[in-house]
């Protein structure tokens, strides 16, 4: 892609557009050009160029820097959220372990109750048999 030396003026106009400018404030799509001046040879830049005037000019490395700068707080928030989710998972693992232990205790208690009911049933049968035999 070509470039114009006017795009490399000392006054850089980005209109407050941060990061990669997809469109200029005039609505025109931006394009990446490569500088051909001795001072910035091969350096890529964004530019909006209408037939009359260049509105927007931004070095690609400045746009990349802004993208990273804007992403860092979001990454910190995501990291905090991830750590909270990990903590919640560990808490839930503890709850699951407690519930599993409670299930084991409950199963043991149910088995004891079955044994006790069987013993009581046998005792009741013996008592009924003894009563029936004694009444005869």
């Amino acid at each position: 892609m070509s470039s114009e030396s006017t795009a490399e003026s000392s006054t850089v106009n980005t209109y407050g557009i941060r990061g990669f400018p997809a469109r200029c404030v005039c609505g025109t799509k931006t394009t990446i050009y490569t500088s051909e001046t001795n001072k910035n040879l091969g350096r890529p830049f964004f530019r909006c160029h209408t037939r009359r005037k260049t509105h927007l000019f931004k070095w690609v490395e400045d746009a990349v820097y802004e993208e990273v700068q804007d992403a860092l707080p979001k990454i910190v928030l995501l990291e905090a959220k991830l750590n909270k989710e990990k903590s919640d998972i560990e808490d839930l693992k503890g709850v699951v372990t407690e519930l599993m232990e409670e299930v084991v205790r409950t199963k043991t208690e149910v088995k004891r109750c079955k044994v006790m009911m069987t013993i009581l049933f046998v005792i009741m049968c013996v008592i009924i048999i003894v009563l029936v035999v004694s009444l005869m």
Side-chain angles (χ1 to χ4, degrees):
M1 296 187 172
S2 67
S3 69
E4 295 178 15
S5 60
T6 58
E8 296 186 54
S9 66
S10 60
T11 305
V12 177
N13 199 350
T14 62
Y15 294 97
I17 298 171
R18 289 192 55 80
F20 302 122
R23 293 194 175 276
C24 177
V25 291
C26 72
T28 306
K29 282 186 170 184
T30 59
T31 306
I32 296 178
Y33 294 91
T34 302
S35 173
E36 295 175 354
T37 65
N38 288 335
K39 183 178 177 185
N40 293 299
L41 189 61
R43 191 175 176 195
F45 61 92
F46 291 97
R47 185 182 73 194
C48 160
H49 183 74
T50 61
R51 290 185 181 181
R52 289 182 230 137
K53 176 180 173 183
T54 297
H55 294 116
L56 178 129
F57 172 83
K58 183 181 244 185
W59 294 113
V60 169
E61 71 258 19
D62 292 340
V64 170
Y65 176 77
E66 290 172 355
E67 289 284 335
V68 170
Q69 199 175 32
D70 292 347
L72 288 176
K74 295 173 187 172
I75 291 170
V76 168
L77 289 175
L78 286 172
E79 183 179 27
K81 186 175 180 180
L82 179 62
N83 287 336
K84 184 188 179 311
E85 297 297 331
K86 284 180 178 179
S87 174
D88 290 349
I89 287 171
E90 290 304 315
D91 291 345
L92 289 173
K93 283 180 180 179
V95 169
V96 167
T97 301
E98 289 174 12
L99 289 172
M100 297 289 280
E101 290 169 356
E102 183 65 28
V103 165
V104 169
R105 284 192 297 272
T106 303
K107 283 182 178 180
T108 303
E109 186 65 29
V110 167
K111 286 179 184 178
R112 272 192 236 140
C113 287
K114 284 182 179 180
V115 168
M116 292 298 287
M117 288 186 66
T118 304
I119 292 171
L120 286 174
F121 179 74
V122 169
I123 292 173
M124 291 294 291
C125 287
V126 168
I127 291 173
I128 291 173
I129 291 172
V130 167
L131 283 174
V132 168
V133 168
S134 68
L135 289 176
M136 291 178 122

